[in-house]
Amino acid sequence: SILQITEEYQPGMLVMGTRGKNRDPLQVIGSTTSKVMAKSKVPVMAVPEDYDLSAFYKPHHIAYITHFDDHDFYALHQLIAFVKPFKAQVFCWHIEKETDPVVDRFRMKQLRDYFNTTYSELALECGLIEADDTVEAIETLVKEKEVDVIALILRRRNLLEQLLRPSLTKNLLYQTNIPLLVFNNDVG
């Protein structure tokens, strides 16, 4: 299986295809891609079927979606290791329906200060976005900032959450037409 080969060869990242934008949202991630994302110890980049690979020479603008938890630091270290040779701009966004201005600004400042100190050569821009529709907000920012790759952490959700709400990851794969880099917070 893919996961066994990953264990044996220990790549820095897996790249897999998805069925792409405007497909049935229940089938957008193939069962193989979904299982690999959930169990992989390395990041998985999901590339939409319709994505023009000839336009992707190197990433210029990467968007990382944060939820302000400890896993962000690990995922951002991995992301920075990936983009550092390309000198890419990294956008770090926290998107909520209602943000807590004091707490969220403090958390974003902590994240920004840490990474500006640790990776002073990195072009990092952070932002708090209040929006009713997270995916729509991300898509708008992707267009405005000409983002090449969206990165986020795949989070474990309980059964009720899974039944009532599709995950942000699945929604993004359904609605976006650019690669999605997924880090698994349960491994690493």
Side-chain angles (χ1 to χ4, degrees), residues 93-131:
W93 297 322
H94 177 71
I95 303 167
E96 288 287 339
K97 288 185 181 185
E98 291 182 25
T99 60
D100 181 332
V102 175
V103 173
D104 289 347
R105 281 191 188 119
F106 176 75
R107 288 177 174 167
M108 186 59 83
K109 183 180 180 335
Q110 281 185 312
L111 199 62
R112 182 179 37 241
D113 289 350
Y114 175 78
F115 282 96
N116 282 339
T117 301
T118 308
Y119 301 101
S120 58
E121 73 285 355
L122 179 71
L124 178 68
E125 180 181 312
C126 298
L128 299 171
I129 292 98
E130 198 167 300

Side-chain angles (χ1 to χ4, degrees), residues 8-149:
E8 183 179 340
Y9 290 98
Q10 301 180 355
M13 173 189 309
L14 293 175
V15 179
M16 300 183 73
T18 65
R19 294 194 177 123
K21 191 173 181 176
N22 299 323
R23 302 289 179 137
D24 180 350
L26 300 175
Q27 298 179 3
V28 73
I29 304 177
S31 61
T32 302
T33 304
S34 179
K35 287 176 186 173
V36 170
M37 283 180 168
K39 295 181 180 180
S40 177
K41 292 181 181 179
V42 299
V44 177
M45 183 177 288
V47 180
E49 178 180 52
D50 301 337
Y51 184 70
D52 181 9
L53 288 173
S54 66
F56 189 81
Y57 174 68
K58 67 177 187 173
H60 296 283
H61 303 102
I62 313 291
Y64 178 78
I65 311 305
T66 178
H67 289 279
F68 294 138
D69 66 28
D70 292 338
H71 296 100
D72 284 324
F73 290 92
Y74 178 73
L76 275 164
H77 280 295
Q78 287 186 297
L79 176 63
I80 290 166
F82 166 65
V83 302
K84 197 173 184 177
F86 306 113
K87 297 183 176 140
Q89 167 84 43
V90 177
F91 301 100
C92 183
W93 297 322
H94 177 71
I95 303 167
E96 288 287 339
K97 288 185 181 185
E98 291 182 25
T99 60
D100 181 332
V102 175
V103 173
D104 289 347
R105 281 191 188 119
F106 176 75
R107 288 177 174 167
M108 186 59 83
K109 183 180 180 335
Q110 281 185 312
L111 199 62
R112 182 179 37 241
D113 289 350
Y114 175 78
F115 282 96
N116 282 339
T117 301
T118 308
Y119 301 101
S120 58
E121 73 285 355
L122 179 71
L124 178 68
E125 180 181 312
C126 298
L128 299 171
I129 292 98
E130 198 167 300
D132 289 330
D133 185 330
T134 302
V135 174
E136 186 178 304
I138 291 170
E139 281 295 308
T140 299
L141 290 164
V142 161
K143 287 176 186 155
E144 286 175 9
K145 301 292 187 176
E146 299 178 351
V147 170
D148 304 303
V149 177

